[in-house]
Amino acid sequence: MHIGKLYWFMQRYSAIYFLAFIVYLEYLFLSNELTYTFLSTNIYFKIFLSIFIVLTNIHGFIGLWTVGTDYLTTRTLGFLSDRLGGVANSVRRLYEILFITMGCLITVLYFLIIWF
Amino acid sequence: MSSLEVNLYRYNPETDKFPYMKTYNIEKPSRDIMVLDLLHLLKEGDESISYRRSCREGVCGSDGMNINGKNGLACITPISSVIKKNKIDLRPLPGLPVIRDLVVDMSEFYAQYEKIKPFLQNDTTAPEQERLQSPADRDKLDGLYECILCACCSTSCPSFWWNPDKFVGPAALLQAYRFLADTRDLKAEERLEDLSDPFSVYRCHGIMNCVSVCPKSLNPNKAIGEIKSMLLKNKENIIARDGA
């Protein structure tokens, strides 16, 4: 599958999952099932939540990558100053490394909380 | 007779370090005239004003410019439709390098147009007279072939402003779909392959500025949606359509 198509599908499918998961959470909340015991013991909920975390990261990655390739380029940063425009690609790489690292850390942290 | 304030973007790279807005106060014409006629009036008083124009009837697409914040063709835009508080601001098309005053360098725009191979591709032996289409197939091209490449749409698109070298832009994508929708063209698969990266088509987020400004009332956003649908469909469907 082409990367453009993959990104497009991932954005849409993850958004559909988010909606379904929020509806599920609402259901749990309204039916008074959303308790600590339920959250910490129900294996299905843990799996759904883990998928939610992974998809949030993927969704966020695509969104932030898009923002970076729009606004952190030689052209756009060059509007601010020639010097900044000259190092725009490095600035964008740094920004990408930063949000990928943050995404990985958040995922690991949440997985530790959910599963251990 | 009341006067009209025209704020004109001025820039001459030979004499000006930076572009600036120059205000001209002229007598408001007694009848409704087009923005292009207004520019002619200004040029009578200041011959250094530069802008492109040719057919002066909305066919050639030369005089695309930003009129009071919205792109349009000066020759078919009546001043009555754009005057706000007796003022008109005229700027070059946004996002493209300015050569002088309202004249912009359209190289990036044309490079994207060239990229989509805007010509019919058919390897089969040409018939004696012409490649015929059914009236229904011909109807699919309505709303696509009428584009005059004035660049009003592409230069109103933020995605094109940020990535004019990667995002094809609404004007060229409208033309891309014009050939994808043409039953006589047999290179749909290759055309789609060329558009499959994350930038060429997918950078369109459907904000519809292109539809809002098109002086020919075309709908590039719809065409882009059709291209996305074709890209997301199975390859086999495209091949089946081409009869390959």
Side-chain angles (χ1 to χ4, degrees), chain A residues 56-112:
Chain A
T56 306
N57 271 282
I58 294 170
H59 193 93
F61 166 79
I62 298 169
L64 291 170
W65 172 81
T66 306
V67 171
T69 46
D70 266 352
Y71 299 112
L72 301 177
T73 62
T74 308
R75 185 186 182 89
T76 42
L77 288 185
F79 284 131
L80 300 175
S81 84
D82 288 345
R83 210 169 155 192
L84 205 53
V87 294
N89 289 339
S90 306
V91 172
R92 194 174 66 253
R93 290 277 172 271
L94 191 69
Y95 158 81
E96 286 170 352
I97 290 168
L98 202 70
F99 74 69
I100 289 170
T101 310
M102 276 181 69
C104 292
L105 282 174
I106 289 168
T107 307
V108 171
L109 189 68
Y110 271 91
F111 270 62
L112 284 172

Side-chain angles (χ1 to χ4, degrees), chain A residues 2-9 12 65-67 69-71 73 75-76 79 92, chain B residues 95-96 108 159 161-164 193 196-199 202-203 205 228 231-233:
Chain A
H2 292 110
I3 195 87
K5 190 172 171 175
L6 182 72
Y7 280 8
W8 195 91
F9 271 126
R12 272 76 192 169
W65 172 81
T66 306
V67 171
T69 46
D70 266 352
Y71 299 112
T73 62
R75 185 186 182 89
T76 42
F79 284 131
R92 194 174 66 253
Chain B
L96 295 178
E108 284 174 324
S159 290
W161 296 342
W162 311 143
N163 290 292
E193 183 75 29
S196 62
D197 63 282
F199 284 93
Y202 292 110
R203 214 21 97 93
H205 302 304
K228 280 182 183 168
L231 279 165
L232 299 172
K233 275 180 193 164

Side-chain angles (χ1 to χ4, degrees), chain B:
Chain B
M1 194 176 280
S2 63
S3 75
L4 178 64
E5 186 182 315
V6 185
N7 295 309
L8 188 66
Y9 181 100
R10 301 299 314 265
Y11 178 60
N12 180 352
E14 289 171 9
T15 55
D16 306 324
K17 198 171 177 190
F18 297 106
Y20 61 98
M21 296 300 287
K22 187 171 180 181
T23 303
Y24 296 85
N25 285 297
I26 60 165
E27 272 186 13
K28 200 172 181 179
S30 54
R31 63 186 177 86
D32 199 10
I33 60 171
M34 300 297 168
V35 173
L36 183 64
D37 300 322
L38 185 70
L39 278 167
H40 290 337
L41 285 174
L42 292 180
K43 199 170 169 71
E44 279 176 15
D46 182 351
E47 288 186 348
S48 68
I49 296 172
S50 302
Y51 52 91
R52 287 197 183 102
R53 51 88 65 194
S54 184
C55 74
R56 58 102 185 105
E57 55 188 344
V59 176
C60 71
S62 304
D63 60 353
M65 60 186 69
N66 189 275
I67 307 162
N68 268 357
K70 187 176 176 182
N71 291 353
L73 290 181
C75 59
I76 54 169
T77 305
I79 58 168
S80 62
S81 68
V82 288
I83 289 178
K84 279 179 191 162
K85 295 177 184 169
N86 253 0
K87 279 203 287 194
I88 294 185
D89 291 353
L90 298 175
R91 293 185 171 86
L93 289 173
L96 295 178
V98 176
I99 295 173
R100 182 174 164 153
D101 296 342
L102 301 177
V103 181
V104 289
D105 179 1
M106 295 179 63
S107 307
E108 284 174 324
F109 175 78
Y110 291 133
Q112 293 298 349
Y113 181 56
E114 196 180 341
K115 207 191 265 183
I116 59 107
K117 296 181 183 140
F119 43 85
L120 199 76
Q121 296 183 76
N122 189 323
D123 298 335
T124 59
T125 313
E128 212 164 288
Q129 284 189 318
E130 59 187 311
R131 296 185 195 277
L132 295 173
Q133 276 188 305
S134 68
D137 284 339
R138 168 61 188 78
D139 286 347
K140 290 176 189 165
L141 308 183
D142 286 339
L144 304 172
Y145 75 91
E146 298 95 330
C147 175
I148 56 171
L149 296 173
C150 63
C152 285
C153 59
S154 290
T155 56
S156 68
C157 174
S159 290
F160 189 76
W161 296 342
W162 311 143
N163 290 292
D165 54 333
K166 297 192 187 93
F167 175 54
V168 172
L173 286 172
L174 184 82
Q175 289 311 297
Y177 185 61
R178 179 251 172 273
F179 289 99
L180 284 166
D182 195 323
T183 49
R184 298 165 298 179
D185 189 281
L186 300 182
K187 298 285 180 186
E189 202 192 335
E190 287 84 343
R191 288 180 187 280
L192 291 171
E193 183 75 29
D194 292 341
L195 297 171
S196 62
D197 63 282
F199 284 93
S200 296
V201 179
Y202 292 110
R203 214 21 97 93
C204 167
H205 302 304
I207 65 165
M208 298 182 76
N209 275 9
C210 52
V211 182
S212 162
V213 300
C214 179
K216 308 300 277 186
S217 302
L218 304 178
N219 191 339
N221 197 62
K222 186 167 178 265
I224 294 169
E226 299 285 357
I227 296 174
K228 280 182 183 168
S229 298
M230 292 178 91
L231 279 165
L232 299 172
K233 275 180 193 164
N234 291 331
K235 205 181 204 181
E236 291 73 28
N237 294 354
I238 307 299
I239 298 169
R241 196 216 74 167
D242 284 351

